[in-house]
């Protein structure tokens, strides 16, 4: 069985293809032959050695797969061999075969491709938690999505469209037309313009109801200022700590130094909320996640959205996938096909 290992902290070339033995299945698990593995920005942070939750290097990255059940562990009655499924994996997804606790496995609809299914779990559950569960997004709300063209960004755009929000989004200019076609009302070229100024102008200086911030650092206080009273800021990433392909402690420290804390008194007096999201920390609370996924599958079934898979790579080309992502070329999802 082949897997991609992060052999040491560094640029994409540290991702190495290695032959290993098949993982033994444990009670309560399903063994899945992987058809597609999702690539996520958190894999990049792990590869650079700046992801706090990652296991010690060397390890196999990967948070999500789609494939077919090839063995059913003791005590599992809801699945059988041959079921087409997708799953959340707490690392290890860049593999030909994975074993996953059955509570983190979801059945695919008959017409759901492996590519669509592998593009769903991490991005759409994160966006759902940010917008619906914790962000309380309502029809007509003004929503600002940073990284609007990324995996979580496009998922947020799809969910925001279903709810009926007015959407602002930051992205590199070459992706604006694509984003408009996906439903973004106000694309903002954050690389050449100050998004704070643009949004204040577009909203008659009122600001927005909800902001999804995966950048962090200096963007936190900037986004806080952009909230109108009753507005909520969801912090869920650290992209601004990783502008390059190698770890830079100077950048990481600068990012940390820009974090601001807000006292309850300040939040009360401003009528604003700050929300933190880390979906991976909920992987051991499947009873929370499963109803969210059920809603997403229903929306998929009703054709209210389809994940956008930008590009697929052979498993052996994982390094090329990381380059593509860090060169900011991707729109939506990148997948590895074992
Ligand atoms: N907390 C959670 O539960 C959770 C879950 C999933 C993801 N996340 C976080 O959400 C963020 C987005 O993740 P994702 O997997 O959706 O992203 P992605 O698809 O990998 O997004 C890549 C895009 O982000 C933009 N970007 C902004 N800063 C970047 C940088 N420093 N390096 C490379 N690209 C950058 C680029 O588009 P433009 O050039 O158009 O801006 C790029 O094309 C990450 O910070 C990730 O860690 C958090």
């Amino acid at each position: 069985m082949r897997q991609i290992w992060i052999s040491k902290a560094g640029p994409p070339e540290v991702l190495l293809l290695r032959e290993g033995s098949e993982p033994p299945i444990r009670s309560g698990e399903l063994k899945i032959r992987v058809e597609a593995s999702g690539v996520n920005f958190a894999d990049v942070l792990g590869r650079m050695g700046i992801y706090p939750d990652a296991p010690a290097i060397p390890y196999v990255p990967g948070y999500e797969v789609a494939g077919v059940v090839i063995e059913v562990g003791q005590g599992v009655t809801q699945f059988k061999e041959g079921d087409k499924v997708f799953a959340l994996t707490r690392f290890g997804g860049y593999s030909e075969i994975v074993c996953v606790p059955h509570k983190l496995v979801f059945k695919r609809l008959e017409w759901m491709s492996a590519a669509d299914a592998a593009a769903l779990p991490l991005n759409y559950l994160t966006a759902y938690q940010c917008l619906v569960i914790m962000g309380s997004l309502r029809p007509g709300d003004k929503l600002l999505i940073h990284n609007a063209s990324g995996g979580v960004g496009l998922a947020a755009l799809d969910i925001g469209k279903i709810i009926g929000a007015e959407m602002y989004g930051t992205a590199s200019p070459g992706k604006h037309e694509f984003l408009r076609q996906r439903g973004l009302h106000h694309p903002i070229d954050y690389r050449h313009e100050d998004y704070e100024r643009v949004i204040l102008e577009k909203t008659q200086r009122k600001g927005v109801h909800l902001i999804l911030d995966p950048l962090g650092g200096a963007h936190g206080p900037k986004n806080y200022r952009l909230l109108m009273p009753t507005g909520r800021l969801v912090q869920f990433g650290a992209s601004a700590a990783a502008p390059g392909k190698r770890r830079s402690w100077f950048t990481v420290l600068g990012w940390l130094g820009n974090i601001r804390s807000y006292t309850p008194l300040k939040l009360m007096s401003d009528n604003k909320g700050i929300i933190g999201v880390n979906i991976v920390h909920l992987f051991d609370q499947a009873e929370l996640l499963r109803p969210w996924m059920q809603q997403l599958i229903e929306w998929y079934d009703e054709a209210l959205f389809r994940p956008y898979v930008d590009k697929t790579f052979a498993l052996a080309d994982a390094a090329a996938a990381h380059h593509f992502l860090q060169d900011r070329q991707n729109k939506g999802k990148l997948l590895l096909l074992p």
Side-chain angles (χ1 to χ4, degrees), residues 1-267:
M1 185 211 32
R2 298 174 318 147
Q3 297 179 304
I4 292 289
W5 286 78
I6 298 177
S7 57
K8 57 182 177 179
E13 286 65 34
V14 303
L15 295 173
L16 299 182
L17 185 71
R18 288 186 184 151
E19 196 69 51
S21 49
E22 245 185 54
I25 189 166
R26 287 180 299 195
S27 161
E29 287 187 340
L30 293 166
K31 189 179 277 191
I32 299 169
R33 181 177 303 287
V34 177
E35 293 174 86
S37 309
V39 175
N40 288 287
F41 198 82
D43 306 332
V44 165
L45 297 177
R47 193 208 72 225
M48 292 169 71
I50 55 172
Y51 191 69
D53 289 339
I57 292 173
Y59 72 93
V60 178
Y63 290 102
E64 56 194 350
V65 298
V68 176
V69 174
I70 54 171
E71 197 178 335
V72 178
Q74 214 181 1
V76 182
T77 53
Q78 305 89 328
F79 293 88
K80 59 180 187 321
E81 259 180 58
D83 277 349
K84 292 178 179 176
V85 293
F86 59 106
L88 291 161
T89 52
R90 192 158 188 169
F91 309 104
Y94 287 21
S95 301
E96 284 180 324
I97 293 174
V98 294
C99 288
V100 189
H102 74 279
K103 288 184 175 171
L104 295 178
V105 181
F106 307 89
K107 283 191 183 148
R108 271 150 63 182
L109 297 169
E110 203 45 53
W111 53 91
M112 189 186 268
S113 66
D116 272 7
L120 252 174
L122 202 81
N123 291 159
Y124 281 83
L125 281 174
T126 303
Y128 191 85
Q129 183 184 353
C130 291
L131 298 184
V132 179
I133 300 296
M134 298 185 78
S136 307
L137 186 69
R138 284 173 292 250
D141 276 0
K142 291 181 167 52
L143 165 67
L144 168 59
I145 305 168
H146 288 291
N147 266 17
S149 71
V152 178
L154 284 192
L157 199 55
D158 285 345
I159 296 173
K161 193 170 156 189
I162 291 169
I163 292 174
E166 180 185 341
M167 295 184 284
Y168 299 74
T170 61
S172 293
K175 301 171 184 171
H176 285 195
E177 193 40 46
F178 165 81
L179 286 168
R180 270 200 193 89
Q181 282 171 18
R182 294 278 305 186
L184 183 66
H185 304 102
H186 309 283
I188 300 166
D189 174 8
Y190 73 113
R191 298 179 76 173
H192 303 103
E193 289 181 292
D194 176 8
Y195 63 82
E196 186 176 4
R197 186 186 53 74
V198 174
I199 288 171
L200 286 175
E201 263 173 33
K202 282 181 183 283
T203 61
Q204 291 79 47
R205 307 201 70 75
K206 288 190 176 129
V208 298
H209 296 87
L210 182 62
I211 302 179
L212 264 51
D213 177 12
L215 304 164
H219 294 275
K222 204 170 156 111
N223 283 317
Y224 186 83
R225 290 196 295 270
L226 273 175
L227 291 177
M228 62 171 69
T230 75
R232 288 87 59 204
L233 168 60
V234 186
Q235 304 266 204
F236 70 105
S239 298
K245 290 179 184 169
R246 286 176 190 271
R247 175 172 62 194
S248 153
W249 288 123
F250 182 73
T251 309
V252 173
L253 288 173
W255 185 90
L256 287 169
N258 272 309
I259 291 179
R260 296 284 169 274
S261 51
Y262 298 87
T263 61
L265 214 51
K266 167 105 180 119
L267 296 174

